[in-house]
Amino acid sequence: MNLHEYQSKFRFEEFGIPIPHGKVAETPEEARQIAQEVGGPVVVKAQVLTGGRGKAGGVKLAATPEEAEQHARSILGMDIKGHIVRKVLVDPAANIEQEIYLGITNDRAARMPVIMCSAEGGMDIEEVNRVKPEAIIREHIDPLLGLRSYQINALASGIELPYPLWRQFQKIAACLYRCYMESDATLAEINPLIITAEGDLLAVDGKMSLDDNALFRHRDLAALRDTSAEPAVETQAREAGLSYVKLDGQIGCMVNGAGLAMATMDMTSIFGEADGIGPANFLDIGGGADADTVAAALRIILADPDVKAILLNIFGGITRCDEVARGVIAAFSEVHVKMPKVVRLVGTNEEEGRQLLQEANIPDMVTATTLSEAAQKAVAAVKGA
Ligand code: GDP
Ligand code: MN
């Protein structure tokens, strides 16, 4: 889950990082009011879950409240890389002397967090890494030792930070690391961290990504999720307790168990490769497969217009196959699916399950016993469609 800039910065502030004291507006009039309260030049910033807002025209300076209102009017509703702007942050404008990049993320290969710093702030860090990788200073952080002050000094000296700012920089880097760890984040980034004309450091942009698997222990953070900014199917899937990832193939896969779902995706990719056919999604419906779960999963799969056939691959272990079959039958009678469906049911009571499915006479449904047979039938169904 990603946080908006304003959410990230408010979180940074809780950990002691200096940020501009702005507010969020949903209408041009509100933006004007906030600018009035700020009482000087402001910057009006689109709040969307994507970077490069500046280049896209989503970050604008305003000298007066009237101008702030005008900018908010043009920015609200703007489409930035497919994200519609519904909120703007109105911050007091900063006088920028220099832009610095400071971020922490997980380095999977090193199996520990890494803090990165660059004097080429403002730019995308991926872009800096491509054109001038030597401009990024990295320090790996041993989680048992934490971020040590000599490491922060190494960053400061690496970017030739003016010496009078080192104390502030020490504090900001330490706070950012605490914020990262205590939020179970996978990314905490300040880009840019600026040196102001007054000679202070200030975080003018912020970005945080949180580990979804740890959100259960951060209710306050979980509540920050902006469901208007994510695809509707992802919200539906999460609320139904399903894990769903959209892919770009044509076979809608409904599988119980993450490992079986991965194997199913592999098999459909292998058999469909020659014809450009593959899985339309990853979908794990979890242990049981009752009618409600299957019906919810069907709706999610069908929301994808690219899906041309459905492949159900269910292993009945604790939940017996006859129960699963009843669930599938009930779901198909509730959600009408015109496209071809291939069902593979294996495990406890699989014969009874298959029998039930056959007797139900669901239109355009075929059954399969092995996974390769199921995958081949699904590919053939897409080709025939
Ligand atoms: P991003 O493009 O989505 O990363 O949005 P940022 O918040 O990083 O803003 C983009 C750029 O706008 C920054 O790199 C700055 O150069 C500029 N900017 C942002 N806030 C201010 C501000 O308060 N004053 C000035 N002068 N420039 C700003
Ligand atoms: Mn930025």
Side-chain angles (χ1 to χ4, degrees), residues 240 242 254 285 288-299 312 319 322-335:
L242 305 169
M254 191 191 306
I285 61 173
D290 57 73
D292 287 346
T293 312
V294 176
L298 272 179
R299 284 194 204 94
L312 266 97
T319 316
D322 52 321
E323 281 173 36
V324 174
R326 282 189 198 94
V328 170
I329 293 164
F332 278 115
S333 69
E334 193 194 323
V335 185

Side-chain angles (χ1 to χ4, degrees), residues 233-255:
V233 287
E234 282 183 22
T235 315
Q236 274 174 31
R238 199 181 42 257
E239 284 167 0
L242 305 169
S243 58
Y244 172 88
V245 180
K246 179 169 163 32
L247 302 168
D248 49 17
Q250 308 82 350
I251 301 173
C253 300
M254 191 191 306
V255 189

Side-chain angles (χ1 to χ4, degrees), residues 79-216:
D79 180 330
I80 301 181
K81 300 181 195 163
H83 300 259
I84 306 296
V85 183
R86 298 179 203 284
K87 287 181 181 147
V88 290
L89 174 64
V90 183
D91 264 352
N95 297 316
I96 303 182
E97 284 286 319
Q98 197 195 323
E99 304 195 16
I100 295 166
Y101 173 94
L102 183 66
I104 304 177
T105 188
N106 269 347
D107 181 342
R108 286 168 187 265
R111 301 187 208 160
M112 50 181 122
V114 60
I115 184 164
M116 294 172 291
C117 189
S118 166
E120 311 281 325
M123 248 210 277
D124 237 350
I125 195 70
E126 289 83 6
E127 181 65 9
V128 180
N129 192 38
R130 205 172 57 78
V131 300
K132 207 175 165 191
E134 70 281 2
I136 305 174
I137 319 293
R138 295 176 175 82
E139 287 285 330
H140 283 96
I141 308 169
D142 184 323
L144 297 178
L145 298 175
L147 177 61
R148 314 305 300 178
S149 50
Y150 73 86
Q151 295 184 296
I152 304 174
N153 283 343
L155 299 177
S157 108
I159 62 161
E160 293 175 22
L161 185 73
Y163 193 66
L165 291 168
W166 281 34
R167 272 179 79 100
Q168 283 188 47
F169 186 73
Q170 274 283 345
K171 175 163 178 265
I172 290 170
C175 292
L176 189 66
Y177 179 63
R178 251 190 1 107
C179 179
Y180 175 86
M181 293 303 278
E182 290 181 23
S183 309
D184 283 312
T186 54
L187 175 76
E189 181 183 88
I190 308 174
N191 189 23
L193 173 68
I194 62 158
I195 303 177
T196 65
E198 298 76 28
D200 289 313
L201 290 174
L202 186 67
V204 305
D205 187 13
K207 181 176 174 188
M208 286 187 81
S209 302
L210 307 174
D211 183 347
D212 285 329
N213 295 311
L215 280 178
F216 71 94

